[in-house]
Amino acid sequence: MNLDPEIRERVPGTAATPDFDETLRRNRLAPLRRLVPHTLQVNVGKLCNQACHHCHVDAGPKRTEIMTRATAERVADLFEASMGIRTVDVTGGAPELNPNFTYIVERARAAERAVMVRCNLTVIFVPRMEWLAEFYRANRVHLVCSLPCYTAENVQKQRGRGVFEKSIEALRLLNRIGYARGDLVLDLVYNPVGPVLPPPQPQLEADYREQLGKNFGISFNHLLTITNMPISRFAQQLHQWGRYTDYMGLLVNHFNPATVAGLMCRTLVSVGWDGRLYDCDFNQMLEIPLGAGGENKREDKSKDKPLTIWDVADVGRLAEAPIATGAHCFGCTAGAGSSCSGALV
Ligand code: SF4
Ligand code: SF4
């Protein structure tokens, strides 16, 4: 792993975890470099109305790190100037709770970019958010909504009491206003409740469709399966269960070289709430700056300063930059692979 010692300390893994870059080299897949990015993923902060056990953002109702208006304006200028960016993917926390959320979405729509929002569903029922569902519809927002199971029991285990019932109510409301009933896209996200890999995506999608249709009359477009990353709150939970080493072993033993070509860090640029740039949302949580990996860093120390949205005129220029990897990357390459768009192979 070509990270400096300060960053290496934050990267998960155990003494037995092999070096991710070395694994890529052995499979003739190194070095991992960027293509021209087509997605700008904007994390507007850690504020959330929930505090789920597996959250890799460590988000919650008391977090105060949120994107300011000045930063949101610069983000919008950047996606407007980056002609390769086709999609603005807004995430958090619960991104809708940021006062600049509507500004970012409206600027993206005005710039003719597709807008994707990572929605936890319950935010629709937070007091004073009554406008939200209609705002999604009016701006043709592609919704990617967390629902880690179609049973109340499993959802409650991961996301808290009452979350399942509110999520079902929110999905019904979204269906009523046209989501998953025409060209408004409503995808669901599954992640395992425990330290295991997700089951095959197509099979689980069929189960979700049957169960949610039969029991609640709910429709959705796609189910995306996402592997829990061994960082932040999920890593703490693994340590509490005494399962951290086992879980890392599971990820490493299921390394699948076929996933590497589709890794989201190759085509996505992640923006933090304070305007710093990262290779992905996971690196953002570990505070590993974009371009901190690869031989590039060791050769040119001037590149050590974290890049921000104020340093880059067009994110297309980041093509060919080395991607900063770590032991957590085994979470994206295990089994069928994992990304913000679901399984990779
Ligand atoms: S997983 Fe999503 S809904 Fe849960 S605390 Fe984290 S950001 Fe909020
Ligand atoms: S965590 Fe996944 S998306 Fe992020 S740099 Fe590693 S492989 Fe790429």
Side-chain angles (χ1 to χ4, degrees), residues 165-194:
E165 292 73 14
K166 274 192 191 163
S167 301
I168 294 296
E169 207 182 324
L171 288 169
R172 283 181 166 147
L173 189 158
L174 292 169
N175 280 168
R176 275 201 303 279
I177 64 170
Y179 271 92
R181 297 270 157 90
D183 58 356
L184 290 169
V185 182
L186 169 59
D187 291 338
L188 298 180
V189 174
Y190 162 89
N191 60 285
V193 174

Side-chain angles (χ1 to χ4, degrees), residues 36-39 79 81-87 113 267 314-316:
V36 176
H38 55 60
T39 298
F79 61 64
S82 301
M83 296 316 289
I85 292 297
R86 300 195 297 267
T87 302
R113 302 307 198 272
T267 50
D314 175 344
V315 293

